[in-house]
Amino acid sequence: MATYTLPELPYDYAALEPVINPQIIELHHDKHHAAYVKGANDTLEQLEEARDKEAWGAINGLQKNLAFHLSGHILHSIYWHNMTGDGGGEPLAADGVGDLADAITESFGSYAGFKFQLTKAAATTQGSGWGVLAYEPVSGKLIVEQVYDHQGNVGQGSVPVLVFDAWEHAFYLQYKNQKVDFIEAMWRVVNWQDVARRYAAAKERADVLLLAP
């Protein structure tokens, strides 16, 4: 049986209009995300075959492929739940996400400063990549990461809680080459309830995930 499976969307294809149109959501989930799931499973099979045959000539490429496809699967699985048609705005204590709001202020000085940094990080990725808000367990603070492809340029042990997909397949059919416009629009569909749950879970698991003092 396959190790990884494509998760169902938590909403229908049209749920994020007008920020993201249904055609993009369908292609992005059913084709692109599905390809990363298949790629991860296929690579695991190839690694099993390499172990059985003790044939390690392709090990570097296989390990890189596994990191690429698995990270793509994980980031997309977060991405779908990070968005909602009823989202957007600023995280506020009145909405039950006060801990997250306080952490953003403590880590970045202000919500505005955080928003500007994540927007710039996502919009200026060279080629394909992501802008990511992550919990960093050494400092106990939130950081912004600029992820190349799916897996490069990240702090080890950091846990993604909010991800902005800046690959062209996430926006090109609707926004053409205007990546900045797409990232700016994304703020209108952020599901702060989901981000807050991920932040709380990351904090609770920090002592388990991190072995260094």
Side-chain angles (χ1 to χ4, degrees):
M1 293 182 63
T3 300
Y4 302 107
T5 58
L6 180 68
E8 293 185 4
L9 287 171
Y11 35 69
D12 62 42
Y13 296 137
L16 302 178
E17 285 195 294
V19 173
I20 309 178
N21 68 40
Q23 184 182 15
I24 288 178
I25 296 295
E26 182 176 5
L27 288 171
H28 196 169
H29 176 267
D30 296 2
K31 301 298 182 182
H32 291 281
H33 188 171
Y36 300 129
V37 173
K38 183 179 185 303
N41 287 322
D42 288 350
T43 305
L44 287 178
E45 291 182 2
Q46 292 167 32
L47 284 165
E48 181 180 5
E49 181 179 356
R51 290 193 301 272
D52 291 343
K53 295 181 178 179
E54 296 186 1
W56 301 111
I59 185 64
N60 288 340
L62 289 174
Q63 294 293 165
K64 184 175 182 180
N65 286 344
L66 180 61
F68 177 83
H69 290 297
L70 178 54
S71 295
H73 172 42
I74 291 170
L75 287 170
H76 280 94
S77 297
I78 297 171
Y79 180 66
W80 305 124
H81 287 275
N82 272 171
M83 298 183 291
T84 175
D86 299 324
E90 181 176 345
L92 300 171
D95 298 324
V97 293
D99 287 348
L100 173 65
D102 291 344
I104 288 174
T105 300
E106 179 183 357
S107 300
F108 300 98
S110 67
Y111 172 75
F114 152 68
K115 181 179 179 181
F116 187 80
Q117 183 177 346
L118 182 54
T119 298
K120 287 295 184 181
T124 60
T125 50
Q126 295 177 339
S128 301
W130 300 71
V132 175
L133 174 68
Y135 176 75
E136 196 284 289
V138 176
S139 65
K141 293 186 177 181
L142 293 166
I143 60 171
V144 164
E145 297 179 324
Q146 191 178 51
V147 178
Y148 295 109
D149 291 330
H150 295 311
Q151 78 277 20
N153 207 30
V154 300
Q156 297 300 314
S158 61
V159 181
V161 297
L162 173 62
V163 299
F164 280 8
D165 192 342
W167 284 62
E168 285 189 347
H169 63 240
F171 64 87
Y172 200 85
L173 288 177
Q174 184 173 355
Y175 292 85
K176 306 307 182 205
N177 64 334
Q178 300 302 312
K179 184 190 294 186
V180 174
D181 291 347
F182 170 65
I183 300 302
E184 290 285 359
M186 276 289 299
W187 291 103
R188 293 158 50 193
V189 294
V190 173
N191 184 348
W192 291 116
Q193 298 293 329
D194 182 68
V195 179
R197 286 192 293 270
R198 295 179 187 278
Y199 170 65
K203 284 201 304 179
E204 290 176 1
R205 294 189 301 159
D207 59 341
V208 178
L209 294 173
L210 186 67
L211 300 179

